[in-house]
Amino acid sequence: MADNFSYVFPAIRGVQAGREYYVSMCPLRLLAKIFVFDNEELVPELRAQRSLNKARVPDISRYIVANPGNYTFSAITASIDGAVSFEPIGNDSVASFRMGTLKVDMHAKFIVNDGQHRRAAIEQALHSAPELGDETIAVVFFLDRGLERCQQMFADLNRHAIKPSSSLGVLYDHRSAAANVAKHLSLTSNVFKNLIETERSSLSERSRKLFTLSAMHFAILEMLPEKELEDFTAASKKCQEFWEAVGAQIPEWNYVRQSKMTAGEVRIDFIHTHAVVLQALGRVGKYIYQSEQPDLSNALQGLREIDWSRRNAATWEGRAMIGGRMSKSSQNVTLTCNEIKRVLDLPLTPEEQDVENAFLAAHEST
């Protein structure tokens, strides 16, 4: 009796590489019940997909729960290992022949080729928001033709996937408070206006921009806690005030605006336009604003005395640079911040002091 039961999906039939595939919709509440992961205990050579990165799942799940009215997901791609049949709706036209019902044997196995993290995150999100269970996600079904074909499908689906640049991600992100402040500064600040690259996260030698939007975004995250960023007007005002005070102490930024130097010359010869320094300056700003009425011009005056030259390896190698190349790791941000604080005569936090002590000890031993 059980052999007569099937999964039934409304579907559209298509052809790729001479083989049929089907596009359907699946209610979110059924994803976990129908689609399974390949056995993660198997060695990679015997699996049809990568192992699940469980650290990614909670972030995707929170995204769904936090944005129930405007979350967006692309289709899941799955292979069907089992008997299937497609029954078109009528046969009086080509269009009707392509639309119909896909019946899949109840004993068939569905293997996710692309979208396993989305599937796991949706399952997790439904525990917090079960009302989303009747919403749907697009699914593309291919017929399973063995492990080798499944592995090739995974490789092909990911071969040409290109992650957008961090700057473009910030530009198109309207949910992030820090991203909104960064975009506002790029349009209104006397320091950054027309000098921020909003599409790329790295700048060519001929670029007329001094900074990237992603670097500005990270600097703002260093400067302001999330709670302050929720007040867009106040956060924008504070950031504009701080960064214009910083810009007043770094002549090269003004030289580019005045066409006395090119942006390329400044980026090549100095480090103060790079993400690691902007983040470090943002962290310095956070400390300064812990005072109720900070005197920015006085507190930041020492920035003018810093030798920001790349040739100043005695200061910046190991802090902002590794082997002569800029490095924006969290440790390098802290070490760069420490040097700026030293010049400005600002105390280090206990955590910053620990990083500084380790840095100095390592240098003394070499």
Side-chain angles (χ1 to χ4, degrees):
M1 181 70 69
D3 292 339
N4 296 326
F5 289 94
S6 302
Y7 296 105
V8 179
F9 301 92
I12 299 175
R13 177 169 55 183
V15 176
Q16 281 187 7
R19 296 182 175 90
E20 291 185 354
Y21 71 99
Y22 307 92
V23 181
S24 185
M25 298 289 168
C26 181
L28 300 187
R29 57 185 166 78
L30 295 182
L31 280 180
K33 298 178 181 179
I34 298 177
F35 299 98
V36 298
F37 291 127
D38 209 355
N39 189 345
E40 295 191 34
E41 295 180 358
L42 296 176
V43 295
E45 291 81 359
L46 298 179
R47 292 201 307 262
Q49 62 202 79
R50 74 184 113 193
S51 60
L52 189 70
N53 182 351
K54 295 181 180 179
R56 289 181 56 193
V57 174
D59 286 339
I60 304 174
S61 177
R62 283 192 292 269
Y63 159 72
I64 305 169
V65 175
N67 302 282
N70 58 358
Y71 69 89
T72 305
F73 278 134
S74 56
I76 287 176
T77 302
S79 293
I80 304 173
D81 181 8
V84 304
S85 63
F86 181 77
E87 297 181 3
I89 300 174
N91 55 10
D92 56 341
S93 69
V94 174
S96 64
F97 189 70
R98 290 174 179 169
M99 300 178 63
T101 301
L102 178 67
K103 292 186 177 181
V104 183
D105 186 89
M106 190 68 73
H107 299 296
K109 184 179 180 182
F110 297 85
I111 298 176
V112 178
N113 302 112
D114 183 60
Q116 61 264 44
H117 291 92
R118 272 164 277 160
R119 172 235 179 254
I122 289 169
E123 180 183 6
Q124 190 176 102
L126 291 178
H127 291 298
S128 301
E131 65 276 9
L132 297 176
D134 289 329
E135 297 194 4
T136 59
I137 188 169
V139 181
V140 180
F141 291 111
F142 289 88
L143 301 184
D144 185 280
R145 298 200 304 279
L147 176 63
E148 182 177 344
R149 174 56 183 163
C150 281
Q151 290 177 336
Q152 187 62 57
M153 284 176 62
F154 176 85
D156 290 346
L157 288 166
N158 289 277
R159 185 186 309 277
H160 302 295
I162 300 176
K163 185 178 180 180
S165 70
S166 297
S167 287
L168 193 61
V170 173
L171 181 65
Y172 290 166
D173 189 349
H174 300 284
R175 292 193 182 96
S176 167
N180 289 331
V181 172
K183 287 180 282 190
H184 180 72
L185 288 182
S186 73
L187 296 173
T188 62
S189 170
N190 292 329
V191 175
F192 300 120
K193 188 164 55 178
N194 299 322
L195 292 179
I196 289 187
E197 170 58 55
T198 59
E199 187 171 356
R200 298 174 178 83
S201 295
S202 59
L203 299 172
S204 66
E205 292 184 8
R206 295 186 178 183
S207 175
R208 296 182 180 181
K209 308 296 185 180
L210 269 181
F211 318 95
T212 65
L213 186 60
S214 60
M216 192 70 253
H217 172 248
F218 286 125
I220 290 171
L221 287 173
E222 291 282 354
M223 181 180 168
L224 297 180
E226 186 174 343
K227 187 173 182 179
E228 281 195 56
L229 286 167
E230 291 175 358
D231 186 339
F232 173 79
T233 301
S236 297
K237 181 179 179 181
K238 180 179 284 190
C239 285
Q240 188 150 339
E241 175 187 61
F242 174 74
W243 288 105
E244 291 191 358
V246 169
Q249 304 300 328
I250 302 180
E252 291 80 16
W253 292 5
N254 290 320
Y255 292 162
V256 173
R257 192 171 298 284
Q258 297 165 4
S259 299
K260 294 180 179 179
M261 294 181 72
T262 67
E265 289 172 336
V266 172
R267 292 196 313 275
I268 290 172
D269 294 337
F270 300 93
I271 70 167
H272 48 45
T273 64
H274 291 267
V276 60
V277 176
L278 294 179
Q279 285 181 248
L281 286 168
R283 193 176 296 183
V284 169
K286 181 178 182 178
Y287 181 86
I288 291 174
Y289 274 105
Q290 289 177 357
S291 171
E292 291 186 3
Q293 292 182 328
D295 183 351
L296 286 178
S297 59
N298 183 56
L300 297 171
Q301 189 173 4
L303 293 178
R304 191 175 288 269
E305 306 304 319
I306 295 177
D307 183 357
W308 298 104
S309 172
R310 278 180 182 265
R311 293 188 294 272
N312 183 17
T315 298
W316 302 120
E317 181 60 36
R319 290 189 183 273
M321 299 188 297
I322 301 294
R325 298 177 65 87
M326 302 303 299
S327 174
K328 55 183 179 181
S329 71
S330 59
Q331 180 172 313
N332 290 116
V333 171
T334 299
L335 290 169
T336 303
C337 173
N338 290 354
E339 175 61 17
I340 296 172
K341 278 189 166 184
R342 183 191 68 79
V343 175
L344 299 182
D345 198 25
L346 299 174
L348 304 183
T349 66
E351 294 79 9
E352 290 168 345
Q353 189 63 62
D354 288 343
V355 175
E356 186 69 17
N357 291 342
F359 173 76
L360 295 175
H363 275 250
E364 288 176 1
S365 62
T366 58

